[in-house]
Amino acid sequence: MASTTETKQKKMLILKSADNDEFEIEESVGVQSETIKNLVEDGFTFVPLPNVYTKALIKIIDYLKKHANKTDSNDEEIKTFDKDFVNTTFDDLFELVSAANYLHISCLMNMLCQTIADRIKDKSPEAVRKIFHINCDYTPEEEAKIRKANAQAFEGQFDESLD
Amino acid sequence: MSLPFLPFEVIISILLLLPARELIKFLVACKSWCAKIKSQDFIKKHLDTSVATGKSYILYLPSESKAAKTFTLLNHKSFCYEFELRVPFHLPCVLDCIIVGSVNGLICLTNISCFGHTIYLTNPSINKYLILPLSSIYRDEFDLRVIQLSLGFGYHEKTNDFKVVRIGFVEHDQSDEDDYEEATTLDHRYDFESKAEVFSLNTKVWKTVELSPNFFYKRHDTFSGVVVNECLHWKTIKSNIYEEKIVILSFHMGEETFQEIEYPKFHDEGRIDRSTCIGEFKSKLGLFTFCPVEYWFGPGEQPCQLWVMEEYGDKNSWTCHATIVLGILIHRPLSFTRNGEIVMQDRSGNTFCYDLTSNQLLDLNIQDEEHDMNIVDFTDSLVLVDLNDEPMGGEGAFPAGGHDFDEYMLMEQVLNDERIKFQSETSVPIVIAPVSSISRHCGLCLIVTLAPGFN
């Protein structure tokens, strides 16, 4: 049996990450995720998440806790929290956005997608390839053809940084 | 730990949030990104996202910057300046361009001089444009006598197609009539002939629209982008043996047929002179009426009203939605915005926007002394992203794309196209006819027509 110290009035859930760590959270916090909500509605209290690693899950539980306690008065606090939350590397953002997508947490998904979109804006195509770990499958001739057909889009200086 | 794996659906969600010009840059990232960005379903979703995330603007071509060839974009809510977009073609005749209409990121332009003959479709966000092919009907001597061309530009949702409509009419020459008296009787009113054609962006060709023998409409609005209920609309004059009155001419973009819509019955008919302007008001057909400054000598404010056709096509459903007191003397209403405001100008070319909900009149600080500006809604979009990758279809089509070619090269192109095309059939002389209106800016304006008899 899992923990027996849980309080009677609050329903609890256990989330299990891809690297087999278990986290206990309140049901009301967990159901902000559509995926978890559907499982809870089917009577599950133990939720294995084979696509979400511990590192991302800890951050996401933090996010869910913060947003579950949203009131009119802590609006500024949540804004600051969100700002810190997305202030991380692209690889971390990608892990978080994949997890948010799997867990169907739409407000987190929107925030992360918008953050990534804002941060890749003005980057060069080469930088974006590296950031997204894309192997370019164009031949140099094919790439030149696209660049020529859209010459104006490739004029000027772009941001080559990878952060 | 392995590299973070991003599901493709997540990548799409991110790409949808980028402006069109950024997406063009990322076409070279890899083949799957390119294929997705160019797909019809992505283009449509991107447009919807643009609207939902506020990438909507008010756009115009400022008269003072026509030489610099840039569109100015204003925020569609605050009307504050946002940015500029270069007009993506470098023809000298862009100098006197006027916007026919704008929908889903695509702008239709034509020249003020030789209005309606050369037509451009452009998406300035991604620097793409095409020049429409030559007309299928205005090639014979008819075009030398056409006294007015009217244009319409709209998007047809059901077929996912953009269409340009061109209507021309010619009044039959009365000068060789023996009896001048007879020519001035009522009978001559319907002694004119109309022709119409429609261009579809999907097929990239012009198609003649069959007109009923009762097509007695003339002096239409010269251009319109007013689309309600799948139809484009122009204010026009119905003129036949029985009557001469103002009506609305509608063109159904799916069925490609014309219909007539009657004007409202104004309560104060005959008591005041009235000018009108049609527009789309919250997905309904709207009619802004005002007394022209030159006829308004009454005390107090110039009377203005907004009429709305509640049930499309039912003339009895015209309702006076609002009577408006503006505090300025209107010279010319320009357009209705997507938010239901009305853009108008006074006599000195100051441009204002009137918000019917708050009854606020906002000075847009746009000067247009020549009164030849049009102001339209604009949305960031990827429409035409595929242009240039494959050759344009359609006979007589001009090459399109980001090339710099001047008007002389363009004329050369016209001549060459025509020569090649007709020399292969028969040796037909080609006549170059100057049109009556000479361009104010370029000084050169020609239309090319075949010698009469060869069509």
Side-chain angles (χ1 to χ4, degrees), chain A residues 94-95 97-98 101 113-114 117 120-123 125 128-129 133-134 137-138 142 149-150 152-154 158, chain B residues 1 3-7 9-10 17-18 22 24-31 33-34 86 127-128 388:
Chain A
F94 290 163
E95 261 210 80
V97 78
S98 302
N101 181 54
C113 287
Q114 190 65 59
I120 61 172
K121 222 186 266 181
D122 305 324
K123 296 244 187 258
V128 164
R129 267 187 216 140
H133 310 287
I134 292 170
D137 49 0
Y138 283 113
E142 285 170 335
N150 301 285
Q152 201 218 11
F154 296 97
F158 298 118
Chain B
M1 209 165 103
L3 283 175
F5 168 74
L6 266 189
E9 70 207 64
V10 175
L17 296 167
L18 288 167
E22 290 287 324
I24 294 300
K25 207 171 64 186
F26 298 149
L27 287 176
V28 297
C30 64
K31 286 181 181 171
W33 280 33
C34 179
R86 208 158 81 187
N127 200 45
K128 296 277 185 178
N388 231 14

Side-chain angles (χ1 to χ4, degrees), chain B residues 413-427:
Chain B
Q413 186 72 45
V414 177
L415 295 171
N416 283 336
D417 278 2
E418 289 298 280
R419 280 196 192 110
I420 292 160
K421 201 164 141 205
F422 287 95
Q423 272 170 3
S424 60
E425 290 164 22
T426 168
S427 54

